[in-house]
Amino acid sequence: MNVLGIETSCDETAAAVVHRDANGAGEIRSSVVLSQIEEHSAFGGVVPEIAARAHVEALDRIIAAALHDAGLELAEVDAIAATAGPGLIGGLIVGLTSAKALAWAAGKPLFAINHLEGHALTARLTDQLAFPYLLLLVSGGHTQLVAVHGVGHYERLGTTIDDAAGEAFDKTAKLLGLGYPGGPRVEQRARSGNPERFTLPRPLAGRPGADFSFAGLKTAVRLAAEAASPLSKVDVDDLAAGFQKAAVDCLVDRTRNALAMSAGTRFTALVAAGGVAANKAVANALQAIADDHGLPLVLPPLELCGDNAAMIAWAAAERMSLMPSGADRAGDADHPALARWPLDSLKPPQAAA
Ligand code: KG4
Ligand code: ZN
């Protein structure tokens, strides 16, 4: 089956066509991602109103490009999927409404997909990974450890009690005058820095559970930067390195706890997803944990780490493959856009139909 996916939950306008065969193998037939970084960079972060407007302006042409690249007409796809949440409500409404209109006009089933489910199932698109696996989702909006037991069966082991990991990278970058988006720039400057020069906290590390906290770390970086100001290039490098080391240590501590907490579950792999998974220091640290537990580490390719529509189309394809044929084909036609929509509130497709 071929599914057209649409993603507009944050600052990427994306559309993709993904194919899933009867054996569960996936193939990305097209994936178009238009980043709005330029629109938002002057503000040092994503401005929701600007994002929604930019989605409206670009979406039709991005969808047309995805269909064109896949060599398909709209009438030839088997289903249409859009991100329905969680995310910025204006953008979600733009993407979901467009998907509903296309599905209605073309007589196709509509799937309202949870953005986090898209990230959670990407490892099955790229690696045909079997359930269950442990997912560390680290993006600009989310930081979660999730036991992925099946499609629609997600057990959240930990989440952030304040900032997301990517948000902490972005705020640190802003503080150090490195611009937006911050993650890649902090990583680059950290390479030449001394991570031991500044003493920075590892919030929650050593404590029970798998929750995260980054607010105290961010504040500590700010105080250290103020004390060292005016900052030389070396100061910035050392602060970036110190922050990154502390953030990685937190991710490692929590991931190890999550594995210990689910000692009774035979995971097939440790999987990372989200923009922060593109960070080499993060990836290296996760590889060490995976090695210790005798698990493979599955990292999506860079273009699937960040937000994209292929993961949304794929999640719909996975759901569709589990539905009795002909069942409630337009089941999500009335689904609302949801700014908040926790992953562990989802249900497997059979139960949902
Ligand atoms: O998954 P994503 O593209 O968007 C969502 O937030 O859903 O993640 C973007 C986040 C941003 O906060 C960005 O700074 C961070 O991922 N990021 C990185 C790196 N590349 C992107 N953080 C650390 N190191 C990187 N190399
Ligand atoms: Zn995301």
Side-chain angles (χ1 to χ4, degrees):
M1 65 182 90
N2 288 303
V3 180
L4 169 67
I6 295 170
E7 156 64 39
T8 55
S9 68
C10 190
D11 60 344
E12 262 93 28
T13 312
V17 175
V18 167
H19 179 84
R20 186 183 191 281
D21 73 18
N23 299 319
E27 192 193 333
I28 298 175
R29 294 281 160 89
S30 67
S31 180
V32 185
V33 181
L34 177 72
S35 168
Q36 302 176 0
I37 282 177
E38 303 239 312
E39 276 94 328
H40 300 290
S41 63
F43 305 95
V46 177
V47 183
E49 291 78 7
I50 294 178
R53 182 169 293 265
H55 288 307
V56 171
E57 280 164 10
L59 187 56
D60 286 355
R61 133 176 93 81
I62 298 297
I63 293 171
L67 287 169
H68 175 268
D69 291 358
L72 291 175
E73 302 284 339
L74 183 62
E76 292 171 296
V77 305
D78 299 292
I80 297 173
T83 304
L88 301 174
I89 195 72
L92 290 169
I93 290 171
V94 171
L96 185 59
T97 308
S98 296
K100 285 178 180 175
L102 289 174
W104 185 78
K108 306 289 176 185
L110 174 77
F111 286 84
I113 295 296
N114 182 297
H115 178 87
L116 304 173
E117 179 169 62
H119 280 301
L121 297 177
T122 297
R124 288 169 54 78
L125 165 60
T126 55
D127 292 73
Q128 271 197 277
L129 195 62
F131 298 118
Y133 49 86
L134 180 68
L135 169 75
L136 171 66
L137 174 60
V138 271
S139 71
H142 303 276
T143 304
Q144 301 190 356
L145 279 155
V146 180
V148 181
H149 295 288
V151 176
H153 187 184
Y154 311 104
E155 179 192 0
R156 196 171 71 180
L157 301 168
T159 188
T160 181
I161 59 173
D162 42 56
D163 294 347
E167 192 180 354
F169 270 91
D170 293 335
K171 286 179 175 170
T172 297
K174 194 172 180 180
L175 194 98
L176 298 178
L178 299 178
Y180 171 86
R185 297 186 190 188
V186 170
E187 177 176 16
Q188 193 218 334
R189 296 299 291 266
R191 259 182 232 130
S192 33
N194 169 11
E196 312 299 339
R197 177 171 149 210
F198 293 96
T199 306
L200 297 169
R202 272 78 174 144
L204 295 183
R207 308 267 285 281
D211 282 339
F212 299 87
S213 168
F214 292 100
L217 172 57
K218 176 192 67 190
T219 305
V221 174
R222 180 169 58 75
L223 294 177
E226 281 168 10
S229 155
L231 299 179
S232 66
K233 177 184 177 302
V234 173
D235 294 335
V236 171
D237 291 355
D238 291 349
L239 281 164
F243 162 79
Q244 180 172 279
K245 180 88 190 329
V248 169
D249 286 351
C250 292
L251 294 175
V252 165
D253 180 88
R254 310 280 85 194
T255 304
R256 286 194 187 277
N257 274 13
L259 283 164
M261 285 159 69
S262 33
T265 307
R266 292 178 134 253
F267 289 125
T268 58
L270 173 61
V271 178
V276 181
N279 183 294
K280 277 280 168 305
V282 171
N284 290 340
L286 294 179
Q287 185 67 60
I289 301 177
D291 290 348
D292 285 352
H293 286 261
L295 295 173
L297 174 68
V298 176
L299 282 179
L302 268 191
E303 65 276 15
L304 295 180
C305 274
D307 288 345
N308 65 88
M311 69 181 190
I312 302 304
W314 174 253
E318 291 255 63
R319 285 189 163 269
M320 195 164 164
S321 73
L322 292 170
M323 285 166 60
S325 61
D328 202 9
R329 304 217 91 203
D332 289 341
D334 293 327
H335 199 291
L338 301 167
R340 268 186 50 79
W341 188 9
L343 189 54
D344 49 3
S345 71
L346 300 194
K347 301 242 178 341
Q350 302 93 316

